[in-house]
mmCIF file of all heavy atoms in Angstrom:
data_model
loop_
_atom_site.group_PDB
_atom_site.id
_atom_site.type_symbol
_atom_site.label_atom_id
_atom_site.label_comp_id
_atom_site.label_asym_id
_atom_site.label_seq_id
_atom_site.Cartn_x
_atom_site.Cartn_y
_atom_site.Cartn_z
ATOM 1 N N LEU A 169 213.058 88.960 69.718
ATOM 2 C CA LEU A 169 212.795 87.522 69.874
ATOM 3 C C LEU A 169 213.973 86.794 70.507
ATOM 4 O O LEU A 169 214.291 85.667 70.141
ATOM 5 C CB LEU A 169 212.442 86.915 68.518
ATOM 6 C CG LEU A 169 211.113 87.440 67.944
ATOM 7 C CD1 LEU A 169 210.986 87.127 66.464
ATOM 8 C CD2 LEU A 169 209.939 86.871 68.722
ATOM 9 N N GLY A 170 214.609 87.460 71.458
ATOM 10 C CA GLY A 170 215.671 86.816 72.228
ATOM 11 C C GLY A 170 215.092 85.910 73.290
ATOM 12 O O GLY A 170 213.999 85.360 73.144
ATOM 13 N N ARG A 171 215.823 85.774 74.397
ATOM 14 C CA ARG A 171 215.413 84.826 75.438
ATOM 15 C C ARG A 171 214.022 85.120 75.987
ATOM 16 O O ARG A 171 213.189 84.221 76.121
ATOM 17 C CB ARG A 171 216.436 84.827 76.570
ATOM 18 C CG ARG A 171 217.815 84.338 76.172
ATOM 19 C CD ARG A 171 218.772 84.423 77.352
ATOM 20 N NE ARG A 171 220.108 83.968 77.004
ATOM 21 C CZ ARG A 171 221.037 84.755 76.467
ATOM 22 N NH1 ARG A 171 220.779 86.025 76.260
ATOM 23 N NH2 ARG A 171 222.231 84.267 76.158
ATOM 24 N N ILE A 172 213.754 86.384 76.334
ATOM 25 C CA ILE A 172 212.468 86.721 76.940
ATOM 26 C C ILE A 172 211.356 86.629 75.912
ATOM 27 O O ILE A 172 210.283 86.067 76.183
ATOM 28 C CB ILE A 172 212.533 88.119 77.577
ATOM 29 C CG1 ILE A 172 213.565 88.137 78.706
ATOM 30 C CG2 ILE A 172 211.166 88.527 78.121
ATOM 31 C CD1 ILE A 172 213.825 89.508 79.300
ATOM 32 N N GLY A 173 211.596 87.171 74.720
ATOM 33 C CA GLY A 173 210.583 87.102 73.678
ATOM 34 C C GLY A 173 210.193 85.671 73.357
ATOM 35 O O GLY A 173 209.004 85.363 73.158
ATOM 36 N N LYS A 174 211.163 84.787 73.318
ATOM 37 C CA LYS A 174 210.881 83.375 73.055
ATOM 38 C C LYS A 174 210.016 82.776 74.153
ATOM 39 O O LYS A 174 209.041 82.054 73.875
ATOM 40 C CB LYS A 174 212.198 82.606 72.936
ATOM 41 C CG LYS A 174 212.015 81.096 72.796
ATOM 42 C CD LYS A 174 213.355 80.379 72.771
ATOM 43 C CE LYS A 174 213.179 78.871 72.704
ATOM 44 N NZ LYS A 174 214.486 78.156 72.695
ATOM 45 N N GLU A 175 210.353 83.063 75.419
ATOM 46 C CA GLU A 175 209.586 82.494 76.537
ATOM 47 C C GLU A 175 208.160 83.027 76.546
ATOM 48 O O GLU A 175 207.222 82.292 76.876
ATOM 49 C CB GLU A 175 210.284 82.816 77.865
ATOM 50 C CG GLU A 175 211.662 82.188 78.037
ATOM 51 C CD GLU A 175 211.641 80.671 78.044
ATOM 52 O OE1 GLU A 175 210.564 80.085 78.333
ATOM 53 O OE2 GLU A 175 212.680 80.056 77.759
ATOM 54 N N VAL A 176 207.970 84.297 76.189
ATOM 55 C CA VAL A 176 206.617 84.847 76.089
ATOM 56 C C VAL A 176 205.827 84.103 75.018
ATOM 57 O O VAL A 176 204.667 83.712 75.229
ATOM 58 C CB VAL A 176 206.671 86.354 75.781
ATOM 59 C CG1 VAL A 176 205.281 86.887 75.413
ATOM 60 C CG2 VAL A 176 207.224 87.119 76.972
ATOM 61 N N ALA A 177 206.446 83.883 73.870
ATOM 62 C CA ALA A 177 205.768 83.193 72.766
ATOM 63 C C ALA A 177 205.309 81.805 73.181
ATOM 64 O O ALA A 177 204.149 81.419 72.954
ATOM 65 C CB ALA A 177 206.694 83.110 71.561
ATOM 66 N N LEU A 178 206.195 81.050 73.796
ATOM 67 C CA LEU A 178 205.850 79.676 74.178
ATOM 68 C C LEU A 178 204.685 79.651 75.156
ATOM 69 O O LEU A 178 203.815 78.767 75.070
ATOM 70 C CB LEU A 178 207.075 78.994 74.800
ATOM 71 C CG LEU A 178 208.262 78.756 73.859
ATOM 72 C CD1 LEU A 178 209.466 78.214 74.616
ATOM 73 C CD2 LEU A 178 207.871 77.796 72.733
ATOM 74 N N ARG A 179 204.636 80.602 76.072
ATOM 75 C CA ARG A 179 203.555 80.611 77.063
ATOM 76 C C ARG A 179 202.230 81.061 76.464
ATOM 77 O O ARG A 179 201.172 80.491 76.748
ATOM 78 C CB ARG A 179 203.954 81.501 78.247
ATOM 79 C CG ARG A 179 204.955 80.819 79.168
ATOM 80 C CD ARG A 179 205.807 81.804 79.945
ATOM 81 N NE ARG A 179 206.731 81.088 80.829
ATOM 82 C CZ ARG A 179 207.845 80.478 80.418
ATOM 83 N NH1 ARG A 179 208.157 80.504 79.127
ATOM 84 N NH2 ARG A 179 208.623 79.844 81.276
ATOM 85 N N MET A 180 202.276 82.080 75.615
ATOM 86 C CA MET A 180 201.023 82.598 75.065
ATOM 87 C C MET A 180 200.454 81.686 73.981
ATOM 88 O O MET A 180 199.253 81.744 73.688
ATOM 89 C CB MET A 180 201.222 84.014 74.535
ATOM 90 C CG MET A 180 201.630 85.026 75.614
ATOM 91 S SD MET A 180 200.719 84.872 77.183
ATOM 92 C CE MET A 180 199.040 85.231 76.663
ATOM 93 N N GLN A 181 201.284 80.836 73.414
ATOM 94 C CA GLN A 181 200.768 79.845 72.460
ATOM 95 C C GLN A 181 199.835 78.849 73.155
ATOM 96 O O GLN A 181 198.945 78.270 72.517
ATOM 97 C CB GLN A 181 201.934 79.120 71.789
ATOM 98 C CG GLN A 181 202.655 79.961 70.751
ATOM 99 C CD GLN A 181 204.049 79.436 70.419
ATOM 100 O OE1 GLN A 181 204.415 78.313 70.794
ATOM 101 N NE2 GLN A 181 204.835 80.239 69.726
ATOM 102 N N SER A 182 200.019 78.667 74.468
ATOM 103 C CA SER A 182 199.126 77.767 75.210
ATOM 104 C C SER A 182 197.717 78.343 75.315
ATOM 105 O O SER A 182 196.771 77.626 75.616
ATOM 106 C CB SER A 182 199.680 77.485 76.612
ATOM 107 O OG SER A 182 199.655 78.653 77.400
ATOM 108 N N PHE A 183 197.576 79.659 75.058
ATOM 109 C CA PHE A 183 196.254 80.287 74.987
ATOM 110 C C PHE A 183 195.697 80.233 73.560
ATOM 111 O O PHE A 183 194.678 80.850 73.274
ATOM 112 C CB PHE A 183 196.338 81.748 75.422
ATOM 113 C CG PHE A 183 196.481 81.946 76.907
ATOM 114 C CD1 PHE A 183 197.715 81.827 77.520
ATOM 115 C CD2 PHE A 183 195.379 82.248 77.694
ATOM 116 C CE1 PHE A 183 197.864 82.014 78.878
ATOM 117 C CE2 PHE A 183 195.510 82.431 79.060
ATOM 118 C CZ PHE A 183 196.754 82.310 79.659
ATOM 119 N N GLN A 184 196.394 79.503 72.682
ATOM 120 C CA GLN A 184 196.052 79.424 71.255
ATOM 121 C C GLN A 184 196.102 80.801 70.587
ATOM 122 O O GLN A 184 195.325 81.110 69.684
ATOM 123 C CB GLN A 184 194.672 78.791 71.041
ATOM 124 C CG GLN A 184 194.653 77.279 71.178
ATOM 125 C CD GLN A 184 194.708 76.835 72.631
ATOM 126 O OE1 GLN A 184 193.867 77.237 73.434
ATOM 127 N NE2 GLN A 184 195.684 76.006 72.971
ATOM 128 N N MET A 185 197.046 81.618 71.040
ATOM 129 C CA MET A 185 197.293 82.863 70.330
ATOM 130 C C MET A 185 198.203 82.598 69.139
ATOM 131 O O MET A 185 199.071 81.715 69.193
ATOM 132 C CB MET A 185 197.968 83.897 71.238
ATOM 133 C CG MET A 185 197.122 84.416 72.374
ATOM 134 S SD MET A 185 197.857 85.887 73.158
ATOM 135 C CE MET A 185 197.248 87.187 72.071
ATOM 136 N N ARG A 186 198.029 83.352 68.084
ATOM 137 C CA ARG A 186 198.950 83.331 66.953
ATOM 138 C C ARG A 186 200.107 84.268 67.302
ATOM 139 O O ARG A 186 199.893 85.426 67.636
ATOM 140 C CB ARG A 186 198.245 83.802 65.693
ATOM 141 C CG ARG A 186 199.166 83.974 64.486
ATOM 142 C CD ARG A 186 198.399 84.530 63.306
ATOM 143 N NE ARG A 186 199.281 84.796 62.181
ATOM 144 C CZ ARG A 186 199.358 85.961 61.537
ATOM 145 N NH1 ARG A 186 198.601 86.992 61.930
ATOM 146 N NH2 ARG A 186 200.178 86.111 60.529
ATOM 147 N N THR A 187 201.315 83.760 67.244
ATOM 148 C CA THR A 187 202.480 84.562 67.619
ATOM 149 C C THR A 187 203.300 84.910 66.378
ATOM 150 O O THR A 187 203.762 84.033 65.654
ATOM 151 C CB THR A 187 203.368 83.832 68.640
ATOM 152 O OG1 THR A 187 203.670 82.516 68.172
ATOM 153 C CG2 THR A 187 202.670 83.731 69.990
ATOM 154 N N ILE A 188 203.449 86.222 66.161
ATOM 155 C CA ILE A 188 204.291 86.715 65.080
ATOM 156 C C ILE A 188 205.339 87.624 65.714
ATOM 157 O O ILE A 188 205.277 87.922 66.910
ATOM 158 C CB ILE A 188 203.481 87.480 64.013
ATOM 159 C CG1 ILE A 188 202.852 88.745 64.621
ATOM 160 C CG2 ILE A 188 202.414 86.581 63.407
ATOM 161 C CD1 ILE A 188 202.154 89.632 63.595
ATOM 162 N N GLY A 189 206.324 88.060 64.945
ATOM 163 C CA GLY A 189 207.337 88.898 65.564
ATOM 164 C C GLY A 189 208.305 89.517 64.586
ATOM 165 O O GLY A 189 208.234 89.304 63.368
ATOM 166 N N TYR A 190 209.224 90.263 65.179
ATOM 167 C CA TYR A 190 210.271 90.944 64.401
ATOM 168 C C TYR A 190 211.546 90.960 65.224
ATOM 169 O O TYR A 190 211.526 91.233 66.428
ATOM 170 C CB TYR A 190 209.863 92.384 64.079
ATOM 171 C CG TYR A 190 210.994 93.221 63.524
ATOM 172 C CD1 TYR A 190 211.381 93.102 62.198
ATOM 173 C CD2 TYR A 190 211.693 94.109 64.350
ATOM 174 C CE1 TYR A 190 212.432 93.861 61.688
ATOM 175 C CE2 TYR A 190 212.738 94.874 63.847
ATOM 176 C CZ TYR A 190 213.109 94.739 62.514
ATOM 177 O OH TYR A 190 214.152 95.469 62.019
ATOM 178 N N ASP A 191 212.662 90.637 64.575
ATOM 179 C CA ASP A 191 213.981 90.744 65.201
ATOM 180 C C ASP A 191 215.004 90.916 64.092
ATOM 181 O O ASP A 191 215.078 90.087 63.177
ATOM 182 C CB ASP A 191 214.302 89.498 66.032
ATOM 183 C CG ASP A 191 215.478 89.719 66.966
ATOM 184 O OD1 ASP A 191 216.597 89.954 66.458
ATOM 185 O OD2 ASP A 191 215.296 89.665 68.193
ATOM 186 N N PRO A 192 215.796 91.996 64.140
ATOM 187 C CA PRO A 192 216.760 92.242 63.064
ATOM 188 C C PRO A 192 217.983 91.336 63.125
ATOM 189 O O PRO A 192 218.782 91.333 62.184
ATOM 190 C CB PRO A 192 217.161 93.706 63.291
ATOM 191 C CG PRO A 192 216.976 93.923 64.752
ATOM 192 C CD PRO A 192 215.804 93.073 65.146
ATOM 193 N N VAL A 193 218.145 90.579 64.208
ATOM 194 C CA VAL A 193 219.350 89.768 64.386
ATOM 195 C C VAL A 193 219.054 88.278 64.261
ATOM 196 O O VAL A 193 219.768 87.537 63.578
ATOM 197 C CB VAL A 193 220.000 90.066 65.758
ATOM 198 C CG1 VAL A 193 221.192 89.152 65.985
ATOM 199 C CG2 VAL A 193 220.413 91.529 65.845
ATOM 200 N N ILE A 194 218.006 87.817 64.918
ATOM 201 C CA ILE A 194 217.713 86.381 64.956
ATOM 202 C C ILE A 194 217.018 85.962 63.660
ATOM 203 O O ILE A 194 215.982 86.524 63.287
ATOM 204 C CB ILE A 194 216.848 86.038 66.177
ATOM 205 C CG1 ILE A 194 217.603 86.414 67.450
ATOM 206 C CG2 ILE A 194 216.478 84.556 66.187
ATOM 207 C CD1 ILE A 194 216.819 86.222 68.721
ATOM 208 N N PRO A 195 217.568 84.965 62.952
ATOM 209 C CA PRO A 195 217.013 84.570 61.655
ATOM 210 C C PRO A 195 215.612 83.965 61.793
ATOM 211 O O PRO A 195 215.292 83.331 62.797
ATOM 212 C CB PRO A 195 218.001 83.512 61.140
ATOM 213 C CG PRO A 195 219.205 83.629 61.991
ATOM 214 C CD PRO A 195 218.772 84.189 63.299
ATOM 215 N N PRO A 196 214.764 84.132 60.774
ATOM 216 C CA PRO A 196 213.410 83.565 60.805
ATOM 217 C C PRO A 196 213.390 82.053 61.006
ATOM 218 O O PRO A 196 212.482 81.524 61.645
ATOM 219 C CB PRO A 196 212.841 83.951 59.430
ATOM 220 C CG PRO A 196 213.598 85.171 59.042
ATOM 221 C CD PRO A 196 214.982 84.981 59.589
ATOM 222 N N GLU A 197 214.406 81.357 60.450
ATOM 223 C CA GLU A 197 214.407 79.898 60.601
ATOM 224 C C GLU A 197 214.590 79.481 62.055
ATOM 225 O O GLU A 197 214.160 78.394 62.464
ATOM 226 C CB GLU A 197 215.479 79.245 59.725
ATOM 227 C CG GLU A 197 216.891 79.785 59.905
ATOM 228 C CD GLU A 197 217.218 80.908 58.939
ATOM 229 O OE1 GLU A 197 216.284 81.605 58.489
ATOM 230 O OE2 GLU A 197 218.411 81.080 58.635
ATOM 231 N N VAL A 198 215.221 80.334 62.860
ATOM 232 C CA VAL A 198 215.370 80.036 64.290
ATOM 233 C C VAL A 198 214.051 80.262 65.012
ATOM 234 O O VAL A 198 213.608 79.424 65.810
ATOM 235 C CB VAL A 198 216.484 80.906 64.912
ATOM 236 C CG1 VAL A 198 216.524 80.737 66.434
ATOM 237 C CG2 VAL A 198 217.833 80.549 64.308
ATOM 238 N N THR A 199 213.385 81.373 64.747
ATOM 239 C CA THR A 199 212.122 81.653 65.442
ATOM 240 C C THR A 199 211.002 80.741 64.976
ATOM 241 O O THR A 199 210.053 80.490 65.729
ATOM 242 C CB THR A 199 211.721 83.126 65.257
ATOM 243 O OG1 THR A 199 211.480 83.405 63.878
ATOM 244 C CG2 THR A 199 212.822 84.041 65.773
ATOM 245 N N ASP A 200 211.097 80.241 63.745
ATOM 246 C CA ASP A 200 210.114 79.253 63.273
ATOM 247 C C ASP A 200 210.081 78.036 64.189
ATOM 248 O O ASP A 200 209.030 77.423 64.397
ATOM 249 C CB ASP A 200 210.448 78.799 61.845
ATOM 250 C CG ASP A 200 210.088 79.836 60.800
ATOM 251 O OD1 ASP A 200 209.328 80.774 61.127
ATOM 252 O OD2 ASP A 200 210.581 79.724 59.657
ATOM 253 N N GLN A 201 211.244 77.701 64.752
ATOM 254 C CA GLN A 201 211.336 76.512 65.593
ATOM 255 C C GLN A 201 210.563 76.654 66.893
ATOM 256 O O GLN A 201 210.180 75.660 67.499
ATOM 257 C CB GLN A 201 212.814 76.197 65.890
ATOM 258 C CG GLN A 201 213.615 75.815 64.667
ATOM 259 C CD GLN A 201 215.095 75.642 64.965
ATOM 260 O OE1 GLN A 201 215.527 75.650 66.113
ATOM 261 N NE2 GLN A 201 215.898 75.480 63.920
ATOM 262 N N PHE A 202 210.333 77.894 67.361
ATOM 263 C CA PHE A 202 209.485 78.041 68.553
ATOM 264 C C PHE A 202 208.175 78.765 68.228
ATOM 265 O O PHE A 202 207.546 79.397 69.070
ATOM 266 C CB PHE A 202 210.226 78.702 69.720
ATOM 267 C CG PHE A 202 210.877 80.027 69.458
ATOM 268 C CD1 PHE A 202 210.161 81.217 69.572
ATOM 269 C CD2 PHE A 202 212.226 80.104 69.124
ATOM 270 C CE1 PHE A 202 210.773 82.436 69.360
ATOM 271 C CE2 PHE A 202 212.846 81.330 68.917
ATOM 272 C CZ PHE A 202 212.114 82.501 69.031
ATOM 273 N N GLY A 203 207.739 78.631 66.981
ATOM 274 C CA GLY A 203 206.384 79.006 66.625
ATOM 275 C C GLY A 203 206.130 80.475 66.378
ATOM 276 O O GLY A 203 204.980 80.920 66.472
ATOM 277 N N VAL A 204 207.170 81.242 66.035
ATOM 278 C CA VAL A 204 206.980 82.664 65.748
ATOM 279 C C VAL A 204 207.356 82.937 64.299
ATOM 280 O O VAL A 204 208.504 82.731 63.894
ATOM 281 C CB VAL A 204 207.818 83.552 66.681
ATOM 282 C CG1 VAL A 204 207.656 85.023 66.294
ATOM 283 C CG2 VAL A 204 207.400 83.351 68.127
ATOM 284 N N GLN A 205 206.383 83.411 63.536
ATOM 285 C CA GLN A 205 206.631 83.785 62.148
ATOM 286 C C GLN A 205 207.059 85.241 62.112
ATOM 287 O O GLN A 205 206.400 86.106 62.694
ATOM 288 C CB GLN A 205 205.361 83.581 61.311
ATOM 289 C CG GLN A 205 205.547 83.872 59.827
ATOM 290 C CD GLN A 205 204.274 83.651 59.034
ATOM 291 O OE1 GLN A 205 203.213 83.360 59.602
ATOM 292 N NE2 GLN A 205 204.365 83.800 57.719
ATOM 293 N N GLN A 206 208.170 85.514 61.435
ATOM 294 C CA GLN A 206 208.676 86.882 61.395
ATOM 295 C C GLN A 206 208.121 87.658 60.202
ATOM 296 O O GLN A 206 207.918 87.109 59.114
ATOM 297 C CB GLN A 206 210.208 86.892 61.331
ATOM 298 C CG GLN A 206 210.871 86.524 62.651
ATOM 299 C CD GLN A 206 212.273 87.106 62.762
ATOM 300 O OE1 GLN A 206 212.488 88.281 62.465
ATOM 301 N NE2 GLN A 206 213.213 86.279 63.205
#
């Protein structure tokens, strides 16, 4: 869920997809801000 993963999430959310993910480094509270539940 780094730079590319974040940009993918933001674009696919426009298709009303549910975006979930996994990243061992980036905290869940950070990915929550761009709509990805870890």
Side-chain angles (χ1 to χ4, degrees):
L169 294 164
R171 296 178 180 86
I172 297 173
K174 174 184 177 181
E175 296 297 338
V176 169
L178 294 174
R179 284 155 179 76
M180 298 317 297
Q181 286 161 12
S182 67
F183 285 81
Q184 282 76 56
M185 293 193 85
R186 173 184 176 233
T187 51
I188 64 174
Y190 169 78
D191 195 296
V193 176
I194 299 176
E197 54 268 26
V198 173
T199 63
D200 285 345
Q201 295 174 9
F202 54 86
V204 177
Q205 183 180 5
Q206 286 205 46

